[in-house]
Amino acid sequence: MAEVKQIRDYIESWNQNPKPFTWTATTGEILAKVRLLATSVRKLVNNNSK
């Protein structure tokens, strides 16, 4: 479980000097990607249900 230790070590290190996350995408860009993904998922579901 070396991966778990690496993750915990990263979190502990990050928490010693945390910085707020800054979004770089606009709301419109995020929603456009969500719509595109939703359309793609719908197409996959429709193609697999035939």
Side-chain angles (χ1 to χ4, degrees):
M1 293 280 194
E3 298 87 8
V4 173
K5 182 177 179 341
Q6 288 176 321
I7 293 169
R8 288 188 176 145
D9 289 347
Y10 173 81
I11 292 170
E12 184 178 326
S13 172
W14 176 262
N15 285 338
Q16 290 174 6
N17 187 23
K19 297 176 184 80
F21 181 81
T22 303
W23 288 95
T24 57
T26 66
T27 305
E29 291 169 331
I30 294 168
L31 291 175
K33 288 181 183 181
V34 169
R35 286 186 200 103
L36 180 62
L37 179 62
T39 300
S40 297
V41 169
R42 268 191 238 108
K43 286 180 184 177
L44 283 171
V45 169
N46 289 339
N47 288 340
N48 288 323
S49 63
K50 294 179 182 179

